[in-house]
Amino acid sequence: MRNLKHLFGTLTIVISCFYNQTVRAQTDWLIDGSSFTAEIKHTGNEIEMSNGLIRRVFRITPNAATVRLDNLVTGESLLRGVKPEAVVKINGVNYEVGGLKGQPNYAFLKPEWLENMTADPSAMQYVGYEISEPKAPFEWKRVRNYAKGSEWPPKGVHLRMDYAMPEPQNLLAGDVLLPSSYGRQTLYNTNFNHLDNIWKTHNSKTHARSSFQNEGKIGEIYTPANTSVYAEKKLDAHVKIVEAIFNVGTDKSKEFGPGITLVWPNKTVKFYLRPGGNSYDDGVPMFGLWDGQKENKAAGGRQVLDFTKPWKLRFRFTDKAVFCEAQPEGGDWQTIEKLKPFDTMPLNVRIGKTNAQGEGMDSETQTGELVRMQVVDYAEYGSISKSPGKGFNKDDITLSVHYELYDGIPVFAKWLTIKNNSAKNITVNKFTSEIIAAVEYGAAVETREFNVPTPNIHVETDYAFSSFNVEDANHHAVRWLPDPDYHTQVNYLRVTPCLLNVGPEIGPAKSVAPGESFKTFRTFVMPNDSYDRERQGLALRKMYRTLAPWTTENPLMMHARFADWEQVKTAIDQASEAGFEMVILTFGSGFNIEDDSPEYLAKMKKYADYAKSKGVEIGGYSLLASRKIGNGHDVVMPPGQRPTFGNSPCIESHWGQDYFQKLYNFYDKTGFTLLEHDGSYPGDVCTSTTHPGHKGLEDSRWEQYQTISQFYQWSRANGIYLNIPDYYYMTGGNKCGMGYREVNWSLPRNQQLVHTRQNIYDGAWQKTPSMGWMFVPLTEYHGGGAAATIEPLKEHLHHYEMMMMSNLGGGVQACYRGPRLYDSDETKSMVSKVVKWYKKHREVLEGDIIHLRRADGRDLDYWLSVNPQGEEKGMLMVFNPTNKEITKIIKVPLYYTGLSNQVEVQKEDGTSQNHTLARDYSIALQVTVRPNGYTWALLK
């Protein structure tokens, strides 16, 4: 339970500890998290990780599994079901890691159910654990100003839980869905390059073109939608699996959808695809089944399937049941329906389009339009061999699941390591490293156009790219899916997004040599303790300050427009005089980081040495993606796909490998300490099989990401600042764009001001001020002419000052792009004055922005920067975009400053006054702001 002060005051959180029922008081962790220390306890058959904010409990017998996930701030249980701790596909076989089976209802998890739940013998089995402190995944060289109190690695606890492979006989006897060929003899297989004479085809009489062979392609069916066209053969007497691959193509039929039909003299059983859905869900792709007596128009339950790619269907015969199973291309097998064992085995099999009962009849009322679909492959397999000659012994592979819980924030990190102890190479085809059956956000009976939101849990990884936004940058790895075990959910189609599934959408397809290990990316899970947007943003920003503290580095930076010595020297001199801390040789300046000639490197070292003598850092720009290299070095996209930015080199091509070697060499030889890496790797895949750094499509994204992330981590370890317009924070990036539209800098100057503050206001919901850069076009940028340009600077001094204050007043660094920072003594005086003011109040200005009123050009706009741990607790910035003076009383909420009773307010005009905070921890402050001006108030 939470005390009501949580909403308004100096927060006291009352936490009910579920195990011992004790009660303790704590301060709000967003203001002071120092009392929330992480710990691990082992009691009986359970291990508990907790820090007073969040708790995760594992049961370790009969196998290990998460059985509690609790938000201790709100008192909520976040877990409604037990799942495996991970799933890995090694050498083509899926292995669940831990987990317990037998939960009767996935809507909730009752503690007493756990006593009757069992281990799956085919899963990896828990063998032990080790507790330690977190270790840094890479080094952080501290060479510039950063937030006070930042620690690396973060304080907390680390839990490693080890698992062994299942015994081979347990894998084969268990419920795990294996590849059809695993441990079995292939009795028959065809890809329909030709049609064996054992097949007989049936073609509909309704159309002259109806055929099992279209335009010379065997298996391509061309016929009206609601007609029958198939091939039939006698089944092998020893068959245990019947399997076929279908591409539905343009077929939108329902009961005439393509599938496999088993044939007896007096009955049929058909398992098939229904691309057109059924009468209840018209046009919703799903499965269908005729079990010999009745039709199931939504086999496996009502759901929405993706039929844009081929699907593999199979019947699997066992003594206990007949399984109807399906696998999407690139996905895993899933059981759709389970039938009783057949009394006798079918004699024949039909592959293709039939009516609902698997018969060769056509619709009597409406045959429909001509469609084109394809039977891609067909196979039959025998029984599992007593000596399959496949799989691993128990000790061949050690899989470890790593968990970290940190002091002061409700965040778990999780990743896997896989050690190859065998004498042969193994391939890690895929992995799912985090699976949480979470309590759903809400319930929607129907989901036609809209569904309920995902659970109130923030999830991200250090495998993020191709966006300024955290959710979009992680969509390649983080998914909220429907839970197939949740049969009692309210939603008819059972598509409530409540199952967290974290893993790469493609690959890694990583080969691991004997004695070597493979490490997955890290996943960070942070349950929110509120639905309030500000509080959620503050939590996210505190997570970044804790887990990526280099993002608090925030140097003032100038973008030098030209790279010749005289103009660079001028830029360095002016930056030094005005208090700027970094000069960047920007795009279009003539700087070329790919020139690795000794003469060029020596020239750049001269630049760096001079900058260092002036107390200024220097860096440069490089474009990676968004350009075409040619000669076989670009990514080769799958058919129908294009690179994210239109063009892109493959990092694992010869060119890509040479490019990164040039980057390493440049920073090693010159003394430059910044890279602005534009068009960073956006996650493009590559189907080339000739590039030296990857084998093909499946490993192309993983290998490219490893190359770029290793370079960024090397940069972090060597003190090289990284401006990257992508979400690479967790991999070592310092700064990404705050979020703006470049062409807006061609708008008239007064409009740019409003956009600047809107962009900061909007970007600061998720980013700290130091995490996002803005832009100040000193010279013309994207057009707009004189009305959009600050140069000559002395003629637009007021606007220049407003742009600086609009950025630095929020603790945000902008790229001041031009040949100079000032063009007169008056301009220099203004720039120096603003920079001096910023540095005096830097600590509070680089704190969190509390959102008060977004800029709209009609009235005052303002925000509050807060730093509860500093002497200066807050800084209120107020801007007036209008042509008239405005006096107004502003209600300023001070809860997140950490102040509770009294506050001293020092205004820009030099006056100072003490205020008593109201019961809602706010003060009423009167401000007067001159036309097109600003003011500020410091809170202590």
Side-chain angles (χ1 to χ4, degrees):
M1 297 289 293
R2 281 185 294 174
N3 191 294
L4 289 178
K5 289 183 181 179
H6 174 79
L7 300 176
F8 304 108
T10 308
L11 181 66
T12 299
I13 303 175
V14 180
I15 303 173
S16 296
C17 298
F18 292 91
Y19 284 155
N20 54 24
Q21 298 301 310
T22 60
V23 176
R24 57 177 177 160
Q26 298 282 5
T27 57
D28 187 343
W29 65 278
L30 285 173
I31 297 174
D32 180 5
S34 60
S35 63
F36 298 99
T37 56
E39 60 181 2
I40 299 175
K41 297 178 182 178
H42 182 183
T43 305
N45 70 336
E46 291 188 341
I47 298 174
E48 175 186 322
M49 301 182 76
S50 176
N51 63 1
L53 299 170
I54 187 174
R55 171 171 55 207
R56 188 166 187 162
V57 179
F58 308 91
R59 182 161 288 211
I60 56 177
T61 57
N63 206 349
T66 299
V67 296
R68 295 194 72 139
L69 185 60
D70 300 322
N71 188 328
L72 299 179
V73 178
T74 64
E76 295 173 290
S77 173
L78 304 173
L79 194 74
R80 56 170 178 77
V82 179
K83 296 287 183 178
E85 290 303 296
V87 176
V88 294
K89 180 181 280 189
I90 301 175
N91 289 2
V93 177
N94 276 318
Y95 297 91
E96 293 187 349
V97 179
L100 297 172
K101 303 296 183 181
Q103 182 172 335
N105 189 334
Y106 269 83
F108 45 85
L109 176 60
K110 296 178 74 66
E112 56 266 30
W113 290 348
L114 295 171
E115 303 304 321
N116 298 318
M117 294 174 68
T118 60
D120 183 349
S122 63
M124 290 189 179
Q125 303 296 306
Y126 167 77
V127 294
Y129 74 92
E130 181 179 275
I131 298 172
S132 60
E133 294 182 350
K135 294 180 180 179
F138 52 88
E139 295 302 312
W140 170 33
K141 185 176 182 180
R142 300 160 176 81
V143 296
R144 55 187 65 86
N145 182 69
Y146 58 89
K148 289 182 179 179
S150 299
E151 297 184 275
W152 186 249
K155 298 296 184 181
V157 291
H158 171 259
L159 173 66
R160 191 195 76 222
M161 300 179 73
D162 297 329
Y163 294 82
M165 296 293 286
E167 298 288 356
Q169 62 270 25
N170 290 338
L171 177 66
L172 293 169
D175 293 330
V176 62
L177 299 183
L178 298 168
S180 299
S181 61
Y182 190 90
R184 299 177 186 270
Q185 178 186 359
T186 302
L187 303 177
Y188 177 79
N189 181 236
T190 179
N191 58 12
F192 293 108
N193 284 336
H194 67 278
L195 195 64
D196 300 331
N197 57 16
I198 59 175
W199 291 96
K200 294 183 179 180
T201 59
H202 171 90
N203 300 323
S204 171
K205 306 298 184 183
T206 61
H207 196 281
R209 291 284 303 277
S210 292
S211 175
F212 194 76
Q213 178 176 339
N214 182 55
E215 297 175 348
K217 297 186 284 281
I218 300 171
E220 182 171 289
I221 296 174
Y222 190 64
T223 191
N226 300 317
T227 64
S228 297
V229 173
Y230 58 84
E232 182 171 349
K233 71 176 287 290
K234 184 177 180 180
L235 274 176
D236 190 290
H238 301 97
V239 70
K240 293 298 180 182
I241 288 181
V242 178
E243 175 184 282
I245 301 175
F246 300 95
N247 188 339
V248 302
T250 62
D251 192 356
K252 300 297 182 184
S253 59
K254 295 180 172 65
E255 61 267 19
F256 281 86
I260 305 173
T261 300
L262 304 177
V263 183
W264 288 259
N266 57 355
K267 74 170 184 178
T268 56
V269 172
K270 178 187 176 184
F271 178 41
Y272 63 108
L273 307 175
R274 295 181 68 104
N278 57 40
S279 56
Y280 298 103
D281 300 293
D282 186 51
V284 178
M286 56 184 63
F287 299 109
L289 176 67
W290 169 258
D291 66 5
Q293 296 180 325
K294 61 182 182 300
E295 183 180 4
N296 185 340
K297 297 181 179 181
R302 298 170 70 186
Q303 53 196 296
V304 181
L305 303 175
D306 179 7
F307 284 167
T308 61
K309 296 181 179 180
W311 277 74
K312 188 180 292 185
L313 302 182
R314 74 182 180 189
F315 283 102
R316 182 166 59 92
F317 310 112
T318 72
D319 294 337
K320 297 180 180 179
V322 174
F323 296 92
C324 303
E325 295 166 345
Q327 180 188 47
E329 183 180 65
D332 297 320
W333 283 106
Q334 50 192 281
T335 299
I336 307 305
E337 292 288 344
K338 185 167 65 174
L339 305 176
K340 292 181 180 180
F342 298 142
D343 295 332
T344 61
M345 288 297 290
L347 300 180
N348 286 10
V349 60
R350 292 172 184 160
I351 306 297
K353 288 172 65 66
T354 67
N355 70 0
Q357 292 76 39
E359 301 165 335
M361 300 179 182
D362 302 326
S363 171
E364 296 180 357
T365 58
Q366 188 174 4
T367 58
E369 299 293 327
L370 283 166
V371 299
R372 190 192 307 261
M373 56 79 52
Q374 187 176 15
V375 184
V376 181
D377 191 274
Y378 172 81
E380 298 172 9
Y381 300 94
S383 300
I384 295 174
S385 172
K386 293 181 179 179
S387 301
K390 282 198 172 188
F392 298 98
N393 293 320
K394 177 181 178 182
D395 299 324
D396 282 349
I397 293 174
T398 300
L399 185 144
S400 298
V401 185
H402 300 260
Y403 307 85
E404 283 183 349
L405 177 62
Y406 306 103
D407 294 352
I409 56 173
V411 179
F412 282 103
K414 186 180 178 184
W415 69 97
L416 313 177
T417 53
I418 301 171
K419 176 73 179 297
N420 181 8
N421 306 315
S422 74
K424 298 180 179 180
N425 282 5
I426 65 171
T427 299
V428 180
N429 308 100
K430 292 182 74 69
F431 65 83
T432 304
S433 53
E434 181 65 293
I435 306 168
I436 297 176
V439 174
E440 60 267 44
Y441 179 95
V445 177
E446 288 91 10
T447 49
R448 291 178 171 82
E449 298 295 332
F450 302 97
N451 205 343
V452 296
T454 60
N456 193 23
I457 302 173
H458 175 78
V459 184
E460 68 175 276
T461 72
D462 57 8
Y463 186 66
F465 37 78
S466 190
S467 183
F468 281 32
N469 173 274
V470 60
E471 291 86 3
D472 195 51
N474 280 273
H475 83 271
H476 303 282
V478 177
R479 293 167 291 275
W480 285 100
L481 304 174
D483 186 350
D485 294 323
Y486 190 178
H487 300 290
T488 58
Q489 63 183 277
V490 169
N491 185 268
Y492 279 144
L493 292 175
R494 293 192 292 141
V495 294
T496 301
C498 56
L499 179 66
L500 178 63
N501 180 290
V502 182
E505 66 180 1
I506 184 171
K510 182 68 174 179
S511 180
V512 184
E516 299 296 320
S517 293
F518 169 77
K519 182 179 179 181
T520 70
F521 57 69
R522 295 183 176 220
T523 299
F524 306 95
V525 177
M526 180 177 66
N528 290 305
D529 64 13
S530 169
Y531 291 89
D532 174 68
R533 186 181 185 186
E534 191 75 85
R535 189 167 180 86
Q536 289 184 356
L538 286 162
L540 183 60
R541 289 170 257 159
K542 186 164 187 176
M543 183 187 80
Y544 291 133
R545 286 193 173 98
T546 304
L547 302 183
W550 45 86
T551 62
T552 65
E553 298 177 5
N554 199 28
L556 289 99
M557 52 194 182
M558 175 194 179
H559 268 212
R561 181 66 183 81
F562 302 100
D564 62 279
W565 168 245
E566 290 301 327
Q567 296 197 72
V568 170
K569 185 176 180 294
T570 297
I572 292 171
D573 290 342
Q574 289 200 352
S576 179
E577 288 289 326
F580 272 59
E581 297 156 335
M582 185 173 282
V583 170
I584 305 171
L585 305 184
T586 187
F587 50 92
S589 66
F591 172 72
N592 182 14
I593 204 170
E594 296 171 47
D595 185 344
D596 60 351
S597 66
E599 295 79 12
Y600 192 75
L601 294 176
K603 179 181 178 181
M604 292 301 104
K605 187 176 187 305
K606 174 186 175 182
Y607 286 17
D609 289 344
Y610 184 76
K612 186 176 181 180
S613 73
K614 293 291 185 176
V616 175
E617 295 186 75
I618 191 168
Y621 170 94
S622 179
L623 178 66
L624 174 58
S626 189
R627 60 168 166 162
K628 186 176 181 63
I629 305 301
N631 297 321
H633 299 296
D634 297 302
V635 291
V636 182
M637 300 295 289
Q641 298 184 33
R642 64 188 296 273
T644 303
F645 300 131
N647 292 294
S648 186
C650 178
I651 290 176
E652 298 307 313
S653 68
H654 286 289
W655 179 91
Q657 294 183 340
D658 290 345
Y659 171 83
F660 276 93
Q661 188 54 48
K662 290 177 180 179
L663 294 187
Y664 284 110
N665 185 56
F666 181 88
Y667 287 99
D668 186 55
K669 296 288 178 60
T670 64
F672 272 49
T673 55
L674 171 136
L675 172 64
E676 187 157 278
H677 211 194
D678 201 1
S680 186
Y681 173 62
D684 290 335
V685 296
C686 180
T687 64
S688 172
T689 57
T690 62
H691 292 165
H694 72 98
K695 297 185 290 290
L697 172 65
E698 291 298 318
D699 69 333
S700 61
R701 178 177 287 166
W702 184 264
E703 295 298 345
Q704 290 183 85
Y705 191 81
Q706 293 306 303
T707 294
I708 197 165
S709 62
Q710 287 166 11
F711 172 72
Y712 289 161
Q713 292 169 6
W714 177 87
S715 299
R716 190 75 292 105
N718 286 274
I720 298 166
Y721 197 85
L722 293 170
N723 278 354
I724 311 168
D726 279 309
Y727 225 81
Y728 278 91
Y729 298 119
M730 293 298 194
T731 318
N734 293 90
K735 201 183 292 288
C736 180
M738 185 59 80
Y740 53 78
R741 187 177 183 88
E742 285 191 305
V743 295
N744 286 354
W745 305 119
S746 65
L747 295 170
R749 286 185 294 273
N750 63 342
Q751 293 183 34
Q752 290 183 37
L753 276 171
V754 176
H755 275 290
T756 292
R757 297 198 294 273
Q758 287 181 336
N759 297 155
I760 292 173
Y761 192 96
D762 297 340
W765 287 111
Q766 292 187 328
K767 298 181 179 77
T768 66
S770 58
M771 289 170 66
W773 75 68
M774 287 295 294
F775 195 79
V776 176
L778 301 178
T779 54
E780 186 175 8
Y781 186 72
H782 276 287
T789 306
I790 302 179
E791 283 277 9
L793 306 177
K794 60 187 177 183
E795 295 182 10
H796 307 105
L797 204 57
H798 176 70
H799 172 77
Y800 191 6
E801 179 179 355
M802 287 298 295
M803 287 293 279
M804 291 191 72
M805 288 300 299
S806 293
N807 285 286
L808 295 178
V812 176
Q813 300 305 336
C815 301
Y816 295 82
R817 187 172 191 266
R820 55 191 175 179
L821 287 171
Y822 51 83
D823 57 358
S824 67
D825 290 341
E826 186 181 9
T827 308
K828 177 182 177 181
S829 176
M830 183 280 295
V831 173
S832 300
K833 178 194 72 171
V834 173
V835 169
K836 183 178 180 181
W837 173 86
Y838 165 73
K839 288 185 175 180
K840 180 180 180 180
H841 304 293
R842 186 171 204 160
E843 188 176 343
V844 66
L845 288 169
E846 291 179 356
D848 282 303
I849 287 179
I850 304 300
H851 298 74
L852 300 182
R853 190 177 190 279
R854 187 176 186 268
D856 59 10
R858 302 177 57 162
D859 201 344
L860 300 182
D861 58 88
Y862 39 93
W863 58 59
L864 175 69
S865 298
V866 299
N867 179 30
Q869 305 305 316
E871 179 182 351
E872 296 180 345
K873 302 290 186 181
M875 177 71 82
L876 177 70
M877 293 299 306
V878 187
F879 300 92
N880 181 0
T882 74
N883 295 322
K884 62 181 180 180
E885 181 176 281
I886 297 179
T887 298
K888 179 177 280 191
I889 295 176
I890 297 175
K891 181 178 180 179
V892 186
L894 299 184
Y895 172 71
Y896 289 110
T897 66
L899 297 166
S900 57
N901 296 309
Q902 296 287 322
V903 59
E904 178 187 354
V905 179
Q906 298 178 359
K907 293 187 176 181
E908 181 194 14
D909 62 10
T911 61
S912 179
Q913 186 176 4
N914 290 329
H915 290 254
T916 299
L917 274 65
R919 291 188 65 188
D920 64 356
Y921 298 85
S922 70
I923 61 172
L925 193 64
Q926 180 172 302
V927 296
T928 299
V929 191
R930 58 192 177 276
N932 297 297
Y934 67 89
T935 191
W936 51 265
L938 180 64
L939 309 172
K940 302 174 70 175

